[in-house]
C-alpha cells in the first residue's frame, strides 16, 4: 500500500519561504509523477504542481513565480518550496501521487495533509 | 484556464440517489475524476477516468458524462456518504490539473 507523509514547519513568517517534504513508502516511486495540493480552511482544493522522478516539473501558473519542487529518488522524497509567503498561503498542504494514463491524470494516493500557517 | 462548475450543495434522504454535477466546456472530451473529502480528512479518489472505481469503493458510486456535464451518482445514500465531493480534470493547456469548487452532500 502506498503511503505519503508530509513534514515541515507548521508556522512560517510573512515574506519567508515555506518548505515541505513528502516521504513516500510502498509501491514504485520512480515511475510516477508526484504532486502538491493545498486547501485553505473552509475552501476548495488548489493544485500547486507536479514533479517527475527525472526532475521535470509543471506548476500552477498562478503560483509559478514562487514555487520550486525538487525530488530525491534515493530517499523516496519530494519537496515544495514556496517563496514570499503571505497570509493567503495559509492552508493545509497535501502531497499526492499522480496517476496518468493517456491524456489525463488523477491523484490516487494522498498524504494526510499538514497545516501551514503564515503569521508573524 | 479551464473552469469546472459544481453546485455548492446537494441534499438527499437516506436510501435515495444523489447526483452531483460538474459542468465544463466540452467536458465530454476529457476524463473526469471524483474525490470524496470528509471533515478533517484528506480527499479520497472515488471515481477515475469518468466511471472506474478504485478498489474498495462501493458499487453505489458511479460516474458518467454527457455533453458539457459530468455526474457523480451515489445510489442508496448512507449517512457515511456525507462529505464534500470534488470533480477534477487534466487540461493539457494552461493550468493542467483543475478542480471543481466542490459540492457539500448532506444526508437528511
Amino acid at each position: 500500500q502506498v503511503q505519503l507523509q508530509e513534514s515541515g514547519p507548521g508556522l512560517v513568517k510573512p515574506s519567508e519561504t515555506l518548505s515541505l517534504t513528502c516521504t513516500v513508502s510502498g509501491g514504485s516511486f520512480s515511475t510516477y509523477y508526484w504532486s502538491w495540493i493545498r486547501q485553505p480552511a473552509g475552501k476548495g482544493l488548489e493544485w500547486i504542481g507536479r514533479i517527475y522522478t527525472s526532475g521535470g516539473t509543471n506548476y500552477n501558473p498562478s503560483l509559478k513565480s514562487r514555487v520550486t519542487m525538487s525530488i530525491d529518488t534515493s530517499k523516496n522524497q519530494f519537496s515544495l518550496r514556496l517563496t514570499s509567503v503571505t497570509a493567503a498561503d495559509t492552508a493545509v498542504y497535501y502531497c499526492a501521487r499522480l496517476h496518468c494514463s493517456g491524456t489525463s491524470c488523477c491523484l490516487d494516493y494522498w498524504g494526510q495533509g499538514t497545516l501551514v500557517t503564515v503569521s508573524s | 484556464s479551464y473552469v469546472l462548475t459544481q453546485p455548492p450543495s446537494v441534499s438527499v434522504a437516506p436510501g435515495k440517489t444523489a447526483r452531483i454535477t460538474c459542468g465544463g466546456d466540452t467536458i465530454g472530451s476529457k476524463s473526469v475524476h471524483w474525490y470524496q473529502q470528509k471533515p478533517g480528512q484528506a480527499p479520497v479518489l472515488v471515481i477515475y477516468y469518468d466511471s472506474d472505481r478504485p478498489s474498495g469503493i462501493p458499487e453505489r458510486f458511479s460516474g458518467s458524462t454527457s455533453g458539457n456535464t459530468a455526474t457523480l451518482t451515489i445510489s442508496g445514500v448512507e449517512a457515511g456518504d456525507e462529505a464534500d465531493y470534488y470533480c477534477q480534470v487534466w487540461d493539457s493547456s494552461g493550468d493542467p490539473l483543475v478542480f471543481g469548487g466542490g459540492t457539500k452532500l448532506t444526508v437528511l
Side-chain angles (χ1 to χ4, degrees), chain A residues 6 8-11 18 20 39-41 90-93 112-117:
Chain A
E6 304 89 351
L11 181 63
L18 178 159
L20 295 173
Q39 184 175 37
T90 295
V92 175
Y93 285 75
Q112 65 186 28
T114 187
L115 174 62
V116 178
T117 301

Side-chain angles (χ1 to χ4, degrees), chain B residues 72-86:
Chain B
L72 173 69
T73 301
I74 309 172
S75 305
V77 167
E78 303 174 355
D81 297 330
E82 192 163 278
D84 294 327
Y85 290 85
Y86 294 89

Side-chain angles (χ1 to χ4, degrees), chain A residues 8-20 82-87 89-90 93 115-120:
Chain A
L11 181 63
V12 181
K13 290 182 168 56
S15 80
E16 296 192 345
T17 297
L18 178 159
S19 295
L20 295 173
L82 181 66
T83 61
S84 304
V85 297
T86 69
D89 296 308
T90 295
Y93 285 75
L115 174 62
V116 178
T117 301
V118 178
S119 175
S120 56

